[in-house]
Amino acid sequence: MARELGDRREAILGSAAALFAERGVAATTVRQIADAVGLLSGSLYHHFDSKESMVDEIISSFLADLRERYAKVLTREAGARERLHDLIVASLEAMAAHPHAAEIYQNDVNYLLRIERFGYLRNAGREVQHTWLQVIENGIAEGAFRSDLNPKALYRLMRDAVWLSARWFKPSRGYPVAKLAEDCTSLFLDGLTTAQRAAGVNL
């Protein structure tokens, strides 16, 4: 019985996450979520007391997993390039483990911050930024990354590129998370042009 309830709860969260990502939290109703899992609206309240409770569980579990993965990246002995690559892998793996959570965060964080129970998202956002900036700034200090670019701008460009890939990236045997992480790292650090062409271009 407990397992069945747990499975139903996960099904509800999965359907709710897909709807929140597609329509937005504010525009998604409890009835739409109930319809998606074949329940009456009233039955849904046996599992969650509100729509906000569902959003909270989806996002908080994603951020807790992300925080743990990021901490491992920071404590691991590695060079600047490898650490950036590992940070991208950690982000992609957390997003894969929590489908749609990153999309909901990206799309609705400003809306959610107006609701008291989601005040923790401010600190979560700061923690994410701090982690990325630590990796970027350490890379600059080591001489591995360019020092003429604004670290905060780089952080926003890279983090958004990685996190927004949740909208389109579907890991497969031919193109797994590890390969996307390699490609992102190469693009961020090496650029798009080939080494031979880049050496001959003056901007």
Side-chain angles (χ1 to χ4, degrees), residues 82 92-94 132 147 152 199:
E82 184 181 351
L92 293 173
E93 289 182 342
W132 279 83
S147 61
K152 287 189 176 180

Side-chain angles (χ1 to χ4, degrees), residues 133-162:
L133 284 177
Q134 186 173 340
V135 171
I136 292 167
E137 289 170 350
N138 285 348
I140 292 172
E142 293 171 15
F145 301 162
R146 286 170 54 182
S147 61
D148 61 323
L149 300 176
N150 185 292
K152 287 189 176 180
L154 287 177
Y155 150 69
R156 291 302 302 268
L157 287 167
M158 291 193 288
R159 195 217 67 177
D160 283 358
V162 173

Side-chain angles (χ1 to χ4, degrees), residues 4-180:
E4 183 179 337
L5 288 173
D7 290 345
R8 178 55 63 108
R9 186 181 176 87
E10 289 302 312
I12 292 169
L13 286 175
S15 295
L19 287 168
F20 293 146
E22 179 185 352
R23 304 183 183 192
V25 173
T28 301
T29 66
V30 169
R31 181 168 185 172
Q32 288 169 337
I33 297 169
D35 287 345
V37 291
L39 291 175
L40 296 174
S41 297
S43 299
L44 204 63
Y45 290 106
H46 291 302
H47 302 275
F48 297 95
D49 60 14
S50 67
K51 177 176 70 173
E52 288 71 28
S53 292
M54 291 181 246
V55 179
D56 196 2
E57 186 158 337
I58 291 165
I59 291 183
S60 63
S61 61
F62 163 64
L63 290 174
D65 187 15
L66 191 70
R67 187 180 297 113
E68 183 178 338
R69 293 174 188 270
Y70 279 4
K72 290 179 180 177
V73 171
L74 294 181
T75 57
R76 192 178 302 134
E77 289 292 330
R81 186 186 186 98
E82 184 181 351
R83 188 171 288 117
L84 178 62
H85 171 267
D86 291 346
L87 192 63
I88 294 169
V89 170
S91 300
L92 293 173
E93 289 182 342
M95 291 189 296
H98 305 269
H100 307 296
E103 293 176 77
I104 298 167
Y105 179 91
Q106 291 279 96
N107 295 340
D108 281 312
V109 64
N110 291 329
Y111 166 76
L112 294 172
L113 282 171
R114 297 199 295 267
I115 303 172
E116 185 176 355
R117 75 183 296 165
F118 292 103
Y120 67 88
L121 292 179
R122 287 188 179 87
N123 285 334
R126 293 188 193 104
E127 287 179 16
V128 169
Q129 175 175 286
H130 177 74
T131 300
W132 279 83
L133 284 177
Q134 186 173 340
V135 171
I136 292 167
E137 289 170 350
N138 285 348
I140 292 172
E142 293 171 15
F145 301 162
R146 286 170 54 182
S147 61
D148 61 323
L149 300 176
N150 185 292
K152 287 189 176 180
L154 287 177
Y155 150 69
R156 291 302 302 268
L157 287 167
M158 291 193 288
R159 195 217 67 177
D160 283 358
V162 173
W163 281 36
L164 288 174
S165 70
R167 294 180 177 175
W168 55 266
F169 177 61
K170 305 299 179 192
S172 65
R173 184 175 301 176
Y175 198 66
V177 164
K179 178 57 178 170
L180 177 60

